């Protein structure tokens, strides 16, 4: 498996090295002791490449993937981190390297399984726009095509007796936080008002095929997939007070939202809507994401047993279409970490208020930090 992975990476790199923009970066698991260089303006290529050069104790960069089955039986989140615990979750145990993969899987009975691997470094090869990475000397990593139309994740976590692959085929074009013109250099990549927190969405929606072996039991499902990346130039909890983020497939539409409350209380939004693999809207204006139900407070406060919202109402102005109005109700909790995270899978339903509505699966979260 390991050699197949290396061959894929090497071939991709070789084939395109002379033809295209390529970057090869080795991100050591021991962070650099001086300032990192962090990117917040787009280049005309290398969309999904690392955005932090010389990762240190307080900067961070991650590649995130998920998939949810349309019947809500299964969901999986895979994150490749390059970050110390100090930069992301101060007070938690360091895994001994800044470079690691975490897999979270939910099963039909609601149980959650976790698996992971740690590497001495992560090597990331980017050809044109798609990146590929491998964690240390393991067989865990991801391979993206130059056009970002396909990503393949390979999971090999011997300590958890978990192996497998996830193949994502994009059904929605990539976008920046406030624009889908990804060939234009100099576009803003920060979500908040100041350039401290970056976000890029390579696969706003995808068909995902998940095929795993968990300690001798095989498990496979097809579902709705997604891939993005975040990065930052200071510890996460000092960069944001809270956010709501998620993605949903509504009939022919793919919808992604980010509602972000900066440390100074400023609320910023980013929404994206595509239909039949064509972008309709990608903007930082005209949207609200609000919790509903008994536990609903806005802005959200750090997680406590009392503050789980029962769902969300989302509205987004879509130029040429009207106002998208969408409700989400939870089906399952994917993960909950006291003090910071709720992540759910649920049912989205909505439309443009003209009588036609669509339903579909959503995967979404609420993060809160007490500053
Ligand atoms: C890490 O990099 C960030 C961004 O350049 C910088 O603000 C911070 O001071 C750096 N930390 C150290 C220890 O140099
Ligand atoms: C991989 O690296 C780990 C340390 O990060 C080491 O313990 C292990 O022996 C290495 N395995 C191989 C096959 O090189
Ligand atoms: C795998 O299953 C065997 C029993 O069939 C058990 O002894 C072992 O602990 C399991 N391994 C893991 C990583 O769960
Ligand atoms: C990569 O993105 C650039 C714009 O950022 C675009 O011009 C180019 O066609 C893309 N390459 C591929 C293979 O999609
Ligand atoms: C959420 O949306 C539904 C349907 O549009 C509406 O009835 C309800 O009042 C909204 N709730 C909140 C808290 O905005
Ligand atoms: C309502 O608007 C949507 C989006 O423009 C469109 O696809 C749908 O056909 C419209 N429905 C009606 C009944 O006009």
């Amino acid at each position: 498996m390991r050699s197949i992975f290396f061959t894929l990476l090497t071939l991709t790199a070789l084939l395109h090295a002379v033809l295209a923009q390529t970057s090869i970066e080795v991100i050591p698991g021991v962070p650099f002791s001086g300032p990192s260089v962090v990117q917040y303006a787009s280049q005309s290529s290398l969309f999904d490449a690392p955005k932090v050069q010389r990762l240190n104790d307080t900067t961070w960069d991650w590649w995130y993937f998920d998939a949810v089955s349309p019947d809500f039986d299964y969901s999986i989140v895979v994150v490749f981190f390059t970050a110390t615990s100090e930069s992301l979750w101060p007070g938690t145990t360091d895994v001994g390297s800044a470079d690691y993969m975490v897999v979270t899987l939910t099963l039909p009975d609601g149980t959650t399984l976790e698996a992971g691997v740690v590497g001495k470094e992560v090597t990331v090869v980017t050809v044109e726009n798609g990146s590929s990475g491998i964690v240390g000397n393991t067989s865990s990593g991801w391979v993206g095509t130059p056009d970002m139309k396909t990503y393949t994740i390979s999971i090999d976590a011997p300590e958890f007796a978990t192996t497998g692959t996830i193949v994502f085929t994009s059904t929605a074009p990539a976008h920046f936080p406030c624009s889908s013109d990804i060939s234009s250099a100099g576009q803003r990549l920060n979500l908040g008002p100041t350039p401290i927190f970056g976000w890029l969405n390579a696969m706003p929606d995808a068909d995902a095929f998940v095929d795993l072996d968990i300690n001798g039991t095989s498990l496979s499902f097809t579902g709705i997939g997604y891939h993005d990346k975040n990065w930052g130039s200071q510890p996460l909890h000092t960069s944001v007070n809270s956010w709501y983020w998620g993605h949903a497939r509504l009939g022919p539409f793919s919808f992604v939202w980010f509602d972000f409350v900066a440390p100074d209380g400023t609320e910023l939004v980013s929404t994206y809507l595509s239909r039949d693999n064509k972008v309709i809207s990608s903007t930082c204006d005209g949207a609200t994401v609000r919790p509903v139900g008994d536990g609903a407070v806005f802005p959200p406060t750090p997680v406590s047993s009392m503050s789980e919202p029962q769902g969300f109402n989302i509205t987004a102005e879509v130029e040429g279409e009207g106002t998208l109005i969408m409700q989400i109700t939870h089906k399952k909790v994917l993960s909950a970490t006291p003090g910071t995270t709720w992540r759910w899978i649920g049912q989205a339903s909505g439309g443009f208020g003209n009588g036609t509505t669509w339903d579909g699966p959503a995967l979404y979260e609420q993060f809160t930090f007490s500053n």
Side-chain angles (χ1 to χ4, degrees), residues 173 175-180 254-256 270-275 278-286 316-322 352:
H175 67 107
F176 297 139
C178 313
S179 157
S180 62
S254 302
F255 184 55
V256 179
S270 168
T271 57
Y272 167 94
L273 187 74
S274 69
R275 180 178 193 152
K278 290 197 177 57
V279 182
I280 299 178
S281 162
S282 174
T283 174
C284 286
D285 295 310
E317 307 298 331
V318 179
E319 215 182 306
E321 301 279 339
F352 292 91

Side-chain angles (χ1 to χ4, degrees), residues 302-321:
V303 176
S304 77
S305 56
M306 302 305 290
S307 69
E308 185 186 5
Q310 281 160 12
F312 290 95
N313 270 9
I314 301 177
T315 61
E317 307 298 331
V318 179
E319 215 182 306
E321 301 279 339

